[in-house]
Amino acid sequence: MIIPFVDLKSQYDSIQEHIKTALAEVISSSEFIGGHFVRKFETDFAGFLGVKHVVSCANGTDSLEILLKAYNVGIGDEVIVPAVSWISTSEAVSNVGATPVFVDIENDYYCIDITKIEEKISTKTKAIIPVHLYGQPADMPNIMRLSKKYNLIVIEDCAQAHNAKIENQIIGTWGHAASFSFYPGKNLGAYGDAGAMVTNDDFIAKKIRQIANHGQSTKHNHEIEGRNSRMDAIQAAVLSVKLNYLNDWTNKRVKNSELYCKYILSKNKVPKIRPSSNHVFHLFVVRVEKRDDVIKQLEKNNIQVSIHYPNALPFLECYKSYNHKVSDFPVSCEFVKQIVSLPMYPELTEEQIRYVSNKINNE
Ligand SMILES: *Cc1c(COP(=O)(O)O)cnc(C)c1O
């Protein structure tokens, strides 16, 4: 049995007819950039989230950067980010000229550790970017409490957590604004690069749309310099089709995570779910002692696995000049040595999950 890490083909097979129709409509309309397919997806996704504004853009890294710009975060400012994430989270901060300030993660839920944020806040701190890592919501109630106390902007990085909830409130609606990626492998994925920014703030909504469109508010009226960051109509049409399935796919991911938890015998290996929250399992990450041996064993049995991520962000080569100390990030540093991401997608079968789990049990 070969078990791929992700299986976008079997998802396509299940929705083929709708996708083909949608793509044919885009091509025959010749509205490739902007136009009604893009507007429709923005409206659809706003309705899904229950948020006032969705502004589409080219990818989930641009969306972070454009939001930071819109909030005037730049040179001399500091932005708090978790020590474990994909590099986009901190890269966006550096790319607007600000400094990423890393905070260790929670040992239980792997998101930014709320108890370690305050010691990193300085007079230069402007914003926090919590990441809902692997589909687990960050501790948003407490993050919003801190943001009020210190007057900080909160931009949620929702790239891995479409449809996750905490206290029954969907992520992306907790902070001042939020960033989504629709990279093909995400829980809601396009057939290429795509991203979106969401907010209830009218002023910020206008500003991000302007920045993403060369600084124009109306055609040829460039009040500021912006950039070119747009979602194309093909991606928007695919996303509108796929959004109809997101609830169903989310339920299947959760069900698959429950099966992994049932079949993997050692309970300290499997992820915990934060109380009062709905984890959407973008990734199913287990912690193991002898990682190299486990990976070798899984790969020998044709099970594709991955590591998200092999290094904590503060220790990437590009941040060497900050001279970060391991003792500042004890949980993150231990964590990244133990983790393995197992195959996870809605279409996984119980038989496949049992097969993978047995190999883990044998280690
Ligand atoms: C995927 C991802 C992004 C970036 O999304 P792209 O669309 O690939 O630019 C940002 N943050 C996190 C946590 C991600 O996983």
Side-chain angles (χ1 to χ4, degrees):
M1 183 154 34
I2 296 174
I3 306 184
F5 184 65
V6 284
D7 187 357
L8 297 177
K9 176 70 167 71
S10 71
Q11 187 191 68
Y12 170 67
D13 290 343
S14 72
I15 55 171
Q16 228 191 94
E17 291 316 314
H18 299 291
I19 293 285
K20 281 182 179 161
T21 308
L23 294 184
E25 276 174 18
V26 174
I27 294 165
S28 65
S29 79
S30 297
E31 273 187 311
F32 295 111
I33 298 285
H36 102 272
F37 296 98
V38 176
R39 278 200 308 275
K40 180 178 186 318
F41 175 66
E42 290 181 342
T43 308
D44 292 347
F45 197 48
F48 183 87
L49 295 173
V51 78
K52 204 163 164 194
H53 305 282
V54 170
V55 177
S56 59
C57 65
N59 57 67
T61 310
D62 278 8
S63 49
L64 287 168
E65 205 176 306
I66 293 167
L67 281 167
L68 288 166
K69 277 221 167 96
Y71 283 104
N72 289 319
V73 176
I75 294 166
D77 296 328
E78 293 178 352
V79 178
I80 305 261
V81 298
V84 177
S85 182
W86 174 238
I87 191 173
S88 299
T89 314
S90 50
E91 192 178 41
V93 174
S94 303
N95 283 339
V96 299
T99 303
V101 174
F102 299 98
V103 172
D104 205 9
I105 59 165
E106 309 160 290
N107 192 46
D108 282 344
Y109 310 119
Y110 315 153
C111 294
I112 193 165
D113 186 340
I114 185 81
T115 67
K116 296 179 181 171
I117 292 179
E118 272 182 293
E119 66 202 61
K120 300 275 178 108
I121 293 176
S122 78
T123 53
K124 295 176 180 169
T125 311
K126 264 268 190 72
I128 306 181
I129 308 181
V131 179
H132 309 297
L133 196 71
Y134 310 149
Q136 169 114 274
D139 185 357
M140 292 314 297
N142 281 317
I143 289 169
M144 295 318 292
R145 229 164 276 149
L146 272 186
S147 104
K148 282 204 190 76
K149 184 169 169 192
Y150 293 96
N151 196 22
L152 304 174
I153 296 298
V154 176
I155 299 170
E156 295 173 70
D157 185 342
C158 303
Q160 303 189 358
H162 316 71
N163 211 12
K165 297 183 184 91
I166 177 162
E167 295 179 355
N168 278 322
Q169 185 182 334
I170 199 158
I171 58 97
T173 64
W174 281 86
H176 299 93
S179 161
F180 284 86
S181 165
F182 306 109
Y183 178 82
K186 308 284 186 183
N187 287 25
L188 179 60
Y191 287 174
D193 274 315
M197 301 162 274
V198 318
T199 184
N200 283 317
D201 184 322
D202 297 342
F203 175 77
I204 290 297
K206 191 167 167 254
K207 204 151 172 208
I208 52 185
R209 200 174 281 286
Q210 192 178 18
I211 295 170
N213 186 25
H214 298 293
Q216 305 174 98
S217 45
T218 54
K219 200 170 170 92
H220 298 308
N221 178 22
H222 304 267
E223 289 161 7
I224 53 169
E225 278 183 325
R227 58 198 288 172
N228 171 9
S229 184
R230 41 197 185 210
M231 180 189 289
D232 66 71
I234 298 248
Q235 306 315 329
V238 166
L239 288 168
S240 279
V241 169
K242 290 178 76 172
L243 185 59
N244 295 318
Y245 299 88
L246 185 56
N247 279 327
D248 180 41
W249 289 337
T250 304
N251 292 337
K252 287 182 170 146
R253 283 177 184 272
V254 171
K255 204 180 122 255
N256 290 342
S257 77
E258 288 165 358
L259 289 171
Y260 268 128
C261 290
K262 176 174 149 192
Y263 291 122
I264 294 175
L265 298 174
S266 168
K267 296 309 165 208
N268 52 13
K269 288 180 180 163
V270 297
K272 293 189 185 71
I273 300 175
R274 188 189 306 285
S276 312
S277 69
N278 298 79
H279 191 317
V280 294
F281 291 95
H282 171 56
L283 296 171
F284 192 87
V285 175
V286 295
R287 291 173 84 154
V288 294
E289 288 300 325
K290 296 184 193 128
R291 178 169 67 189
D292 292 349
D293 297 348
V294 172
I295 290 178
K296 223 179 275 164
Q297 172 74 7
L298 293 170
E299 284 177 344
K300 210 175 70 195
N301 287 285
N302 297 315
I303 299 163
Q304 293 174 2
V305 295
S306 192
I307 299 174
H308 299 87
Y309 301 90
N311 277 303
L313 291 174
F315 302 98
L316 295 180
E317 183 80 20
C318 54
Y319 300 124
K320 221 164 107 184
S321 63
Y322 291 118
N323 289 314
H324 290 117
K325 292 195 297 286
V326 172
S327 57
D328 261 352
F329 308 97
V331 177
S332 302
C333 289
E334 181 71 5
F335 180 70
V336 295
K337 286 188 244 163
Q338 301 174 330
I339 48 178
V340 185
S341 307
L342 303 182
M344 172 52 88
Y345 34 94
E347 299 79 12
L348 266 181
T349 65
E350 180 160 359
E351 192 195 357
Q352 290 175 312
I353 294 168
R354 194 161 20 166
Y355 179 79
V356 176
S357 303
N358 284 340
K359 302 300 170 215
I360 298 269
N361 291 337
N362 289 342
E363 264 308 304

Short mmCIF file of all heavy atoms in Angstrom, two decimals, residues 309-330:
data_model
loop_
_atom_site.label_atom_id
_atom_site.label_comp_id
_atom_site.label_asym_id
_atom_site.label_seq_id
_atom_site.Cartn_x
_atom_site.Cartn_y
_atom_site.Cartn_z
N TYR A 309 8.17 22.05 11.43
CA TYR A 309 9.26 22.35 10.51
C TYR A 309 10.53 21.86 11.17
O TYR A 309 10.60 21.79 12.40
CB TYR A 309 9.28 23.85 10.24
CG TYR A 309 7.93 24.26 9.62
CD1 TYR A 309 6.87 24.66 10.44
CD2 TYR A 309 7.72 24.17 8.25
CE1 TYR A 309 5.64 24.98 9.87
CE2 TYR A 309 6.49 24.49 7.69
CZ TYR A 309 5.45 24.88 8.51
OH TYR A 309 4.23 25.16 7.97
N PRO A 310 11.56 21.55 10.42
CA PRO A 310 12.77 20.98 11.04
C PRO A 310 13.54 21.94 11.93
O PRO A 310 14.34 21.52 12.76
CB PRO A 310 13.62 20.56 9.84
CG PRO A 310 12.91 20.98 8.62
CD PRO A 310 11.61 21.62 8.97
N ASN A 311 13.30 23.25 11.76
CA ASN A 311 13.97 24.25 12.59
C ASN A 311 12.96 25.25 13.13
O ASN A 311 12.04 25.63 12.43
CB ASN A 311 14.99 25.04 11.76
CG ASN A 311 16.30 24.31 11.65
OD1 ASN A 311 16.93 23.98 12.65
ND2 ASN A 311 16.70 24.03 10.42
N ALA A 312 13.19 25.70 14.35
CA ALA A 312 12.38 26.82 14.86
C ALA A 312 12.82 28.07 14.11
O ALA A 312 14.00 28.22 13.76
CB ALA A 312 12.58 26.97 16.36
N LEU A 313 11.88 28.98 13.87
CA LEU A 313 12.19 30.18 13.07
C LEU A 313 13.40 30.97 13.57
O LEU A 313 14.24 31.38 12.76
CB LEU A 313 10.97 31.12 13.01
CG LEU A 313 9.76 30.63 12.21
CD1 LEU A 313 8.60 31.62 12.38
CD2 LEU A 313 10.11 30.49 10.73
N PRO A 314 13.55 31.19 14.90
CA PRO A 314 14.68 32.03 15.35
C PRO A 314 16.04 31.46 14.96
O PRO A 314 17.03 32.20 14.94
CB PRO A 314 14.54 32.03 16.88
CG PRO A 314 13.13 31.62 17.15
CD PRO A 314 12.70 30.76 16.02
N PHE A 315 16.08 30.17 14.64
CA PHE A 315 17.37 29.53 14.36
C PHE A 315 17.60 29.28 12.88
O PHE A 315 18.53 28.57 12.49
CB PHE A 315 17.50 28.25 15.20
CG PHE A 315 17.38 28.57 16.66
CD1 PHE A 315 16.17 28.39 17.31
CD2 PHE A 315 18.43 29.14 17.35
CE1 PHE A 315 16.02 28.75 18.65
CE2 PHE A 315 18.30 29.51 18.67
CZ PHE A 315 17.10 29.31 19.34
N LEU A 316 16.76 29.86 12.02
CA LEU A 316 17.03 29.79 10.59
C LEU A 316 18.26 30.66 10.28
O LEU A 316 18.49 31.68 10.95
CB LEU A 316 15.82 30.29 9.79
CG LEU A 316 14.54 29.45 9.92
CD1 LEU A 316 13.41 30.06 9.08
CD2 LEU A 316 14.79 28.01 9.49
N GLU A 317 18.99 30.24 9.28
CA GLU A 317 20.20 30.94 8.84
C GLU A 317 19.98 32.46 8.69
O GLU A 317 20.80 33.26 9.11
CB GLU A 317 20.61 30.32 7.49
CG GLU A 317 21.89 30.86 6.89
CD GLU A 317 23.15 30.25 7.51
OE1 GLU A 317 23.03 29.16 8.12
OE2 GLU A 317 24.21 30.89 7.41
N CYS A 318 18.82 32.82 8.13
CA CYS A 318 18.56 34.24 7.84
C CYS A 318 18.41 35.09 9.10
O CYS A 318 18.48 36.32 9.04
CB CYS A 318 17.33 34.38 6.95
SG CYS A 318 15.86 33.57 7.60
N TYR A 319 18.19 34.46 10.26
CA TYR A 319 18.06 35.22 11.51
C TYR A 319 19.29 35.09 12.41
O TYR A 319 19.24 35.39 13.60
CB TYR A 319 16.79 34.79 12.27
CG TYR A 319 15.52 35.01 11.47
CD1 TYR A 319 14.64 33.98 11.20
CD2 TYR A 319 15.22 36.27 10.94
CE1 TYR A 319 13.49 34.17 10.45
CE2 TYR A 319 14.08 36.48 10.18
CZ TYR A 319 13.21 35.43 9.94
OH TYR A 319 12.09 35.63 9.19
N LYS A 320 20.39 34.62 11.82
CA LYS A 320 21.61 34.37 12.58
C LYS A 320 22.11 35.62 13.30
O LYS A 320 22.58 35.55 14.44
CB LYS A 320 22.70 33.87 11.62
CG LYS A 320 23.53 32.74 12.18
CD LYS A 320 24.30 32.04 11.10
CE LYS A 320 25.78 32.37 11.17
NZ LYS A 320 26.49 31.73 10.03
N SER A 321 21.95 36.76 12.64
CA SER A 321 22.50 37.99 13.22
C SER A 321 21.79 38.40 14.52
O SER A 321 22.32 39.20 15.29
CB SER A 321 22.43 39.13 12.21
OG SER A 321 21.08 39.41 11.91
N TYR A 322 20.61 37.87 14.77
CA TYR A 322 19.92 38.18 16.03
C TYR A 322 20.52 37.43 17.23
O TYR A 322 20.20 37.74 18.37
CB TYR A 322 18.43 37.83 15.94
CG TYR A 322 17.61 38.69 15.01
CD1 TYR A 322 16.98 38.14 13.90
CD2 TYR A 322 17.46 40.06 15.25
CE1 TYR A 322 16.21 38.92 13.04
CE2 TYR A 322 16.69 40.85 14.40
CZ TYR A 322 16.07 40.27 13.29
OH TYR A 322 15.31 41.05 12.46
N ASN A 323 21.34 36.42 16.95
CA ASN A 323 21.96 35.61 18.02
C ASN A 323 20.96 35.07 19.04
O ASN A 323 21.14 35.20 20.25
CB ASN A 323 23.02 36.43 18.77
CG ASN A 323 24.23 36.67 17.90
OD1 ASN A 323 24.72 35.74 17.25
ND2 ASN A 323 24.71 37.89 17.86
N HIS A 324 19.89 34.48 18.55
CA HIS A 324 18.88 33.92 19.45
C HIS A 324 19.48 32.79 20.29
O HIS A 324 20.32 32.03 19.81
CB HIS A 324 17.70 33.38 18.64
CG HIS A 324 16.88 34.47 18.02
ND1 HIS A 324 16.75 34.60 16.66
CD2 HIS A 324 16.17 35.47 18.57
CE1 HIS A 324 15.97 35.64 16.40
NE2 HIS A 324 15.61 36.19 17.53
N LYS A 325 18.98 32.70 21.54
CA LYS A 325 19.50 31.66 22.44
C LYS A 325 18.48 30.52 22.58
O LYS A 325 17.28 30.77 22.74
CB LYS A 325 19.77 32.25 23.83
CG LYS A 325 20.94 33.24 23.83
CD LYS A 325 21.43 33.53 25.23
CE LYS A 325 20.42 34.21 26.13
NZ LYS A 325 20.19 35.63 25.82
N VAL A 326 18.98 29.30 22.55
CA VAL A 326 18.12 28.11 22.71
C VAL A 326 17.34 28.22 24.02
O VAL A 326 16.16 27.86 24.09
CB VAL A 326 18.98 26.82 22.69
CG1 VAL A 326 18.14 25.60 23.06
CG2 VAL A 326 19.59 26.63 21.30
N SER A 327 17.97 28.78 25.06
CA SER A 327 17.30 28.86 26.37
C SER A 327 16.09 29.79 26.37
O SER A 327 15.26 29.74 27.27
CB SER A 327 18.31 29.33 27.43
OG SER A 327 18.85 30.57 27.03
N ASP A 328 15.96 30.62 25.33
CA ASP A 328 14.78 31.47 25.19
C ASP A 328 13.60 30.73 24.57
O ASP A 328 12.47 31.21 24.62
CB ASP A 328 15.10 32.67 24.30
CG ASP A 328 15.40 33.91 25.11
OD1 ASP A 328 15.19 33.86 26.34
OD2 ASP A 328 15.84 34.91 24.52
N PHE A 329 13.88 29.61 23.93
CA PHE A 329 12.85 28.88 23.20
C PHE A 329 12.91 27.38 23.51
O PHE A 329 13.02 26.55 22.60
CB PHE A 329 13.02 29.10 21.68
CG PHE A 329 13.10 30.55 21.30
CD1 PHE A 329 14.33 31.17 21.11
CD2 PHE A 329 11.94 31.30 21.14
CE1 PHE A 329 14.41 32.51 20.77
CE2 PHE A 329 12.00 32.64 20.80
CZ PHE A 329 13.25 33.26 20.62
N PRO A 330 12.89 27.02 24.81
CA PRO A 330 13.12 25.61 25.16
C PRO A 330 12.08 24.66 24.57
O PRO A 330 12.44 23.57 24.09
CB PRO A 330 13.04 25.61 26.70
CG PRO A 330 12.33 26.87 27.07
CD PRO A 330 12.65 27.86 25.99
#
